[in-house]
Amino acid sequence: MALRNEPTAPYRSAQDALRVLEAVARHTTGVTESEVARHTGLGQERVVGLVRMLRREGYVEQVAGGAYVTGAAFGGLGAAPGGGEAVRDDLQRTLDRLRDSVGAAVYLSRYVDGEVRITQYADGPTTPAVNEWVDFRFCAHATAVGKSLLGQLDPEARRDHLARHRPARLTSRTITSDALLLSRLADRPPTVPHLDLQEYAVGTVCAAVPITAGSSVGSLGLSLPVEEVHRLREAAQALNRGAAGLLLSLAIRPY
C-alpha cells in the first residue's frame, strides 16, 4: 500500500513542535522563546504558538523569568509502565481535551491491513458518539474518517478498498458511485477536512482530518447533531489545530 506524500498542516506542526521540545530539553536551566526561535530557525510567532501547545500537553512548563523547561509529561516518557496501555491512556486524555475544546465527540482512527478501525474515541453526555448502526469498516465511502483515510492512500489502494467494500446507499445523501467518490478524493487538498453531511446517518454531520505519521495512515474526526451543522466548519478548524498535539503524542510515544 502506497501513501500520498503530501505533508499535512498538523504533521508539519508536530515536526516543528519536536524541534522546539528538543531545544528546550537541551537547556536544563531554562530557555526563552526568543532563544528557542534562534536555535531552531523558526519564527518567533511560530515558536510562541508551539510552546503554547507543548504547555497544554504538559511537555514544557514555564519557570521564573519566563523561561521554559521540560514538563512532567516529558519526564515520564522514559518510564512508561504498562507500555501500550500507558500510551493509550495518554492518547485518551488528549482526546478528552479535544472533545471539550471542540465541543463534539472525537474519534481516532487508523487504516490497518486494508480496513478502517476506530481505535479510540471520546464522547460525553453533551457530546454523544455516533450510533454505529452499520459497521464502520464497511462504510469508508460514507463517513468523514473513512474518506480521510482513503484520501491518504494511492489510487490503486483506494480502488482495491472499494472493490472489497462496495459502496452501499445508507441515506439519500450517500455517494455510491466509485467514479464520483474517487474523483472527490483525488481533488481534495490534504489540508481541507473531509465531511459527512448525513451520508452515514440521518441527523449526524461529521468532519475528519488526516494524522499520517510515517507509514501509518490515521485520521482524527468529530461528529455533531445536524442541528449544530452551523458549527461544523469552526469545529473542523479547531480539530485540525488540535491534531498537531495528538500527532506529537504519537511521534513521541508510538501506539
Side-chain angles (χ1 to χ4, degrees):
M1 177 183 68
L3 309 182
R4 298 173 71 183
N5 295 318
E6 300 166 88
T8 63
Y11 179 71
R12 289 192 294 269
S13 292
Q15 282 187 315
D16 289 347
L18 282 173
R19 292 169 61 189
V20 170
L21 185 56
E22 289 169 355
V24 174
R26 286 197 300 268
H27 296 79
T28 56
T29 58
V31 61
T32 66
E33 291 171 336
S34 296
E35 290 170 331
V36 170
R38 186 168 65 252
H39 289 305
T40 60
L42 299 170
Q44 177 80 10
E45 185 177 350
R46 177 70 167 159
V47 168
V48 170
L50 293 169
V51 167
R52 187 181 301 120
M53 180 182 72
L54 290 167
R55 287 185 70 185
R56 187 171 61 244
E57 299 297 328
Y59 292 117
V60 303
E61 59 185 39
Q62 195 170 31
V63 294
Y68 291 91
V69 296
T70 54
F74 181 84
L77 292 177
E85 183 179 348
V87 176
R88 187 179 182 86
D89 289 345
D90 283 348
L91 289 175
Q92 190 62 50
R93 284 190 287 271
T94 300
L95 288 173
D96 290 345
R97 286 196 296 271
L98 272 174
R99 174 202 60 205
D100 295 340
S101 64
V102 175
V106 294
Y107 312 80
L108 178 61
S109 63
R110 297 177 62 201
Y111 195 74
V112 182
D113 297 330
E115 301 294 347
V116 172
R117 296 184 183 176
I118 305 295
T119 55
Q120 285 180 250
Y121 68 95
D123 64 350
T126 61
T127 54
V130 175
N131 175 33
E132 189 178 354
W133 74 284
V134 178
D135 194 319
F136 289 138
R137 291 177 299 170
F138 309 134
C139 304
H141 66 291
T143 64
V145 293
K147 287 185 282 188
S148 179
L149 293 171
L150 292 180
Q152 297 173 65
L153 308 180
D154 65 19
E156 183 179 353
R158 293 175 195 161
R159 287 192 294 269
D160 172 74
H161 183 94
L162 295 178
R164 289 183 290 108
H165 299 299
R166 298 301 306 156
R169 186 172 300 281
L170 305 180
T171 76
S172 62
R173 294 175 175 266
T174 308
I175 298 174
T176 58
S177 164
D178 286 16
L180 178 57
L181 180 62
L182 291 170
S183 174
R184 291 190 176 181
L185 291 174
D187 291 342
R188 186 168 294 270
T191 54
V192 177
H194 287 267
L195 303 178
D196 160 14
L197 302 177
Q198 301 189 86
E199 296 170 49
Y200 173 76
V202 174
T204 301
V205 294
C206 305
V209 295
I211 53 168
T212 303
S215 60
S216 176
V217 175
S219 178
L220 183 63
L222 66 83
S223 65
L224 289 168
V226 70
E227 293 80 9
E228 298 182 38
V229 66
H230 60 280
R231 292 184 50 227
L232 188 60
R233 181 184 297 275
E234 180 182 350
Q237 292 173 343
L239 187 77
N240 202 28
R241 292 191 296 270
L246 195 65
L247 258 176
L248 180 63
S249 296
L250 290 170
I252 293 175
R253 297 174 69 169
Y255 171 55

